[in-house]
C-alpha cells in the first residue's frame, strides 16, 4: 500500500531528526501535506502508530496542515484556487498555470522530549 511505504519513509526521517536532536521521545510531528500529494491523513496516523512501536516515536501524534492547490495567472501573476472546469484567473480572466503549491509533503517541525525538556524543533 502506498500510505504504508510513505509512512515508513516518514518515520525514518522523523527518527533521524529525533536522533540528531538527542530526543528521548517524540511527542508530535507537524506535517505539511498538499491536497495534490494524495496521502490521506487518517491512514498515515494508523500506519505511523503501527511502525513506530518500540521506537522513540511510539505514541507520537501527527498533526497535518493541508495546503490547497493554487494556480498562477500567466497575465497578472495572481495565485488562485482553481474553480471547477475553469483555469481562468478570477482577477483578470487570464490563463492560469499549475504551480507546486498543493503538492507539498514535508515535516515542518517536531515536538520532542529531551532530558526532561519539551522542545519544538
Ligand atoms: Zn490574472
Amino acid at each position: 500500500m502506498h500510505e504504508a511505504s510513505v509512512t515508513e519513509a516518514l518515520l525514518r526521517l522523523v527518527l533521524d531528526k529525533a536522533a540528531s536532536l538527542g530526543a528521548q521521545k517524540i511527542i508530535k510531528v507537524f506535517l505539511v501535506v498538499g491536497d495534490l500529494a494524495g496521502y490521506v491523513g487518517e491512514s498515515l496516523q494508523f500506519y505511523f502508530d503501527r511502525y513506530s512501536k518500540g521506537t522513540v516515536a511510539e505514541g507520537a501524534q501527527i498533526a497535518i496542515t493541508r495546503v490547497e492547490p493554487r494556480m498562477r495567472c500567466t497575465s497578472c501573476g495572481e495565485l488562485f484556487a482553481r474553480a471547477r472546469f475553469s483555469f481562468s484567473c478570477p482577477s483578470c480572466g487570464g490563463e492560469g498555470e499549475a504551480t507546486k503549491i498543493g503538492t507539498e509533503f514535508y515535516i515542518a517541525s517536531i515536538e520532542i522530549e529531551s532530558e526532561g525538556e519539551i522542545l519544538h524543533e
Side-chain angles (χ1 to χ4, degrees), residues 73-78 80 89-95:
C73 175
T74 53
S75 302
C76 75
E78 170 119 340
F80 59 94
C89 170
S91 294
C92 74
E95 204 178 317

Side-chain angles (χ1 to χ4, degrees), residues 1 34-35 38 43 45 49 52 54 81-82 85:
M1 269 191 107
D35 283 345
S43 53
Q45 180 77 62
D49 288 348
S52 63
R82 180 164 94 77
F85 309 121

Side-chain angles (χ1 to χ4, degrees), residues 15-89:
L15 290 176
D16 279 354
K17 196 167 158 72
S20 71
L21 295 166
Q24 275 89 52
K25 189 175 164 54
I26 300 170
I27 299 162
K28 211 162 177 179
V29 178
F30 294 89
L31 265 190
V32 176
V33 181
D35 283 345
L36 297 177
Y39 312 118
V40 185
E42 279 162 43
S43 53
L44 211 63
Q45 180 77 62
F46 172 81
Y47 287 113
F48 194 87
D49 288 348
R50 183 188 271 186
Y51 294 138
S52 63
K53 283 211 170 71
T55 72
V56 293
E58 184 171 347
Q61 198 192 333
I62 299 179
I64 297 175
T65 302
R66 308 292 309 207
V67 182
E68 198 182 302
R70 288 278 185 271
M71 299 197 84
R72 179 179 285 109
C73 175
T74 53
S75 302
C76 75
E78 170 119 340
L79 287 169
F80 59 94
R82 180 164 94 77
R84 268 185 105 186
F85 309 121
S86 167
F87 294 96
S88 304
C89 170

